[in-house]
Amino acid sequence: MRTPFIAGNWKMNTTVTEAEQLVSEMIEKLDEIEGVEKVICPPFVSLIAVNMMLRGSSIKLGAQNMYFETAGAYTGEISPLMLSELCEFVILGHSERRRYFGETDEIVNRKVKAALANRLKPILCVGEGLADNEAGKTKEVVHTQVMAGLQGVQPSHDLVVAYEPVWAIGTGKAASGKQAADTIGFIRDILAELWNRTIAQDVRILYGGSVTSANIAEFVSHPEIDGALVGGASLKAKEFVSIVKQTAEIKEKRSSQ
Ligand code: PGA
C-alpha cells in the first residue's frame, strides 16, 4: 500500500514572516490528519524557520529546486548537501523551471541523481504543454520526460513523480480525474518497464495543476492517483488543510473496502 501524499508548492510567495504566519495557521490541523504524508515546500529563505516550526510534528519539509553539484563556485546556487540538513524532499523539473530557467531533461536528470545521492527524496515533475496535449502527444512527451529524467537512476522507492500538465498549472483549468488517472497509470507502466513492477507499485505518483478543495476528491478517488502537488491552494491554510483531510478520508475509505 502506498501512503497518500500531498505537497504544497508555495512557489515564489511569502516572506519569512509570512511563511511563519502561514505555517502557524495550518500546523495544528495538519498535524492531526493521519494516513497522508504531508509536505510543504516554502522558498529557500524560509526553510530554516519553517524547519524549526515543524520539529516534532508529522509535517515534512521540501525545497522547490536545487543545483546538482554538492559545493563549489556556483554563485547563488543551493546544493543538495545544504538542503539535506533541512529537508526530506525536493521538487525537481517543475515546468516553471523548465520554461523560465531553461532546465532541460538532462539537467533535471543530474538533479535527480544528486538529490538521491544526498538522501533527498525527489518530487520529479513531468507534463505536456497545451499544444502537445491538443496534438494528442501527451504520452509521448511524458514518456520522454520520465525516461530522460530517470536515465541511469537506480530504482528507488524514494522517488515521487508529479504529473502536472502545463496547461493546468495556475490556470484554474484542472485536468479531469480520468485524464490524470490515465496518464498516471501510463507513468507507472514506464517505471515498471524502466525499473520493475514491484518498485513501480511503490512509487507515489501525484497529479498537479489547479487542485483545490473543490476538486481534490475527483483526483484522489482514483486508486492510481496517490495525491497532489498543490500550488495556489497551498497558500491558504484552510484550503490546504481541507485538501489533505479529504485525501485522508477518501483513501482510508478505499483501503477499507
Ligand atoms: P497550481 O500549481 O496548483 O497553482 O496550479 C501547481 C504546481 O505548479 O505545482
Side-chain angles (χ1 to χ4, degrees):
M1 268 308 286
R2 299 183 294 267
T3 306
F5 190 103
I6 300 286
N9 173 11
W10 293 8
K11 308 194 179 186
M12 198 178 71
N13 296 293
T14 69
T15 62
V16 178
T17 310
E18 288 165 348
E20 287 173 332
Q21 176 65 30
L22 185 52
V23 172
S24 70
E25 284 169 23
M26 59 172 87
I27 188 166
E28 273 175 41
K29 293 225 163 68
L30 271 188
D31 193 28
E32 284 168 5
I33 306 170
E34 288 175 6
V36 175
E37 197 156 17
K38 302 150 278 188
V39 182
I40 54 176
C41 306
F44 285 134
V45 293
S46 297
L47 288 176
I48 298 174
V50 174
N51 171 292
M52 292 203 292
M53 290 179 81
L54 296 183
R55 277 184 200 175
S57 84
S58 58
I59 304 150
K60 295 172 174 176
L61 192 58
Q64 300 173 16
N65 178 38
M66 54 166 232
Y67 194 49
F68 48 73
E69 295 291 352
T70 310
Y74 303 101
T75 301
E77 290 300 308
I78 302 287
S79 88
L81 182 63
M82 296 169 188
L83 292 180
S84 68
E85 284 189 352
L86 296 170
C87 302
E88 187 171 331
F89 293 90
V90 59
I91 298 172
L92 296 175
H94 190 280
S95 68
E96 286 149 17
R97 302 242 24 115
R98 295 176 191 259
R99 180 170 169 198
Y100 302 123
F101 304 99
E103 281 194 17
T104 60
D105 283 329
E106 197 216 323
I107 295 174
V108 175
N109 177 245
R110 294 179 77 165
K111 291 185 175 189
V112 170
K113 288 175 182 161
L116 289 167
N118 286 279
R119 293 196 306 278
L120 284 167
K121 299 174 181 169
I123 303 174
L124 170 64
C125 301
V126 297
E128 83 288 357
L130 185 60
D132 284 329
N133 179 272
E134 286 175 345
K137 291 187 180 161
T138 296
K139 290 191 172 164
E140 198 181 306
V141 172
V142 166
H143 187 267
T144 303
Q145 290 179 344
V146 172
M147 292 300 281
L150 297 178
Q151 198 191 342
V153 175
Q154 290 305 307
S156 171
H157 320 260
D158 288 341
L159 176 75
V160 177
V161 179
Y163 168 56
E164 299 204 304
V166 180
W167 47 270
I169 297 178
T171 58
K173 282 191 212 141
S176 70
K178 178 165 178 346
Q179 276 175 313
D182 279 353
T183 310
I184 286 172
F186 174 69
I187 293 172
R188 203 173 297 289
D189 290 341
I190 303 173
L191 294 176
E193 201 182 299
L194 180 71
W195 289 345
N196 60 65
R197 187 53 71 180
T198 314
I199 292 263
Q201 289 301 349
D202 284 350
V203 170
R204 268 82 58 87
I205 311 183
L206 321 174
Y207 167 74
S210 297
V211 169
T212 64
S213 63
N215 64 18
I216 184 66
E218 183 181 343
F219 297 105
V220 294
S221 316
H222 285 270
E224 267 310 326
I225 306 180
D226 298 313
L229 181 55
V230 184
S234 71
L235 292 164
K236 296 181 204 128
K238 253 182 140 174
E239 268 286 294
F240 193 62
V241 169
S242 167
I243 288 168
V244 175
K245 205 173 209 163
Q246 290 183 58
T247 302
E249 285 165 4
I250 290 167
K251 292 297 191 188
E252 159 70 25
K253 208 183 279 169
R254 288 206 70 95
S255 71
S256 60
Q257 266 167 11

